[in-house]
Amino acid sequence: MGTLYLVATPIGNLEDLSPRAVRILREARLIAAEDTRHTRALLNHFDLHTPLTSYFEHNKLSKLDAILAALSLGDVALVSDAGTPAINDPGYELVKAALQAGYAVSPIPGPSAPVAALAASGLPTDSFLYLGYLPRKSGERRAFVEKVLDAPYTLIFFETPHRLLEALSDLEAVLGDRQISIARELTKLHEQFVRGRISEVRAHFTETAPRGEFVLVVAGAAQAESLLWSEATLLAAIHQKIEAGQKTREIAAELAALSGWNKKEIYTLASQRR
Ligand code: SAM
């Protein structure tokens, strides 16, 4: 009896494929991949020659029997195009079917865009609610976000570049001008974090057209208030950064993401202390 391995693959940087993931991909009898061409490029890079079969959104149910048959003969590795399989990617139905048929299912952990974005967001990480893609249409999006208006957890969403500005408007309209951290192009050459209030981040992407892949991490309801630093704490941090030789603009941007204070307020306070 084989094991179904869920192998996380890089979300941009190929160095993020773990040595264990490489070994499992080499030793598996079969790799089930969301896009075989995409995965073949990854396998070529690591000089791996394991047979591949497709397992994607539209064949995921018809493929179950074939993959279970392969599992009866040996290990199968499931990969998606990027990140962790089954997290907004095909996998859930296969995991369920494999468990029902009595096979072991084992994760080979690694990159996952929502977790990477959360970890570096500067927002509370003790509890979070991952909600996948925001709905495409504004009305549905607002209704969707409304449901989590009072949720006291950090919220994580995916959004595409061409809907980012509209989505930020809707988030602000429903949730208020909360703290947000936008992770763009994680692990890639142009990795970027834009942190601040939703209105500030929207202003940024109005000036600089959004390109690439995005994860939105938004402060939860209870966090919006608890995030606000006292003035004394903020002044101490400003003082420390001035002493360290940082520019006023940098200080304002960095502390806005952490303190819950507005960038302009911090800029003014920092300028007065020079
Ligand atoms: N299973 C994947 C994972 O664990 O990361 C998520 C798959 S989901 C279909 C793809 C979405 O994840 C993209 O549209 C984007 O919102 C986000 N994403 C993937 N790679 C990213 C990256 N390098 N930087 C920022 N966001 C990324």
Side-chain angles (χ1 to χ4, degrees), residues 179 227-229 234 254-262 266:
Q179 293 290 324
L227 264 181
L228 202 63
W229 290 7
L234 179 65
E254 282 181 23
L255 292 182
L258 297 173
S259 64
W261 286 64
N262 178 291
I266 303 173

Side-chain angles (χ1 to χ4, degrees), residues 11 80 82-84 87-89 111-114 133 158-159 183-186 188 213-215:
I11 55 172
S80 59
T84 299
I87 304 300
N88 250 105
D89 273 337
S112 194
Y133 283 101
F158 291 150
E159 190 48 282
R184 186 176 86 87
E185 296 287 86
L186 286 162
K188 301 182 194 174
E213 295 194 281
F214 293 88
V215 182

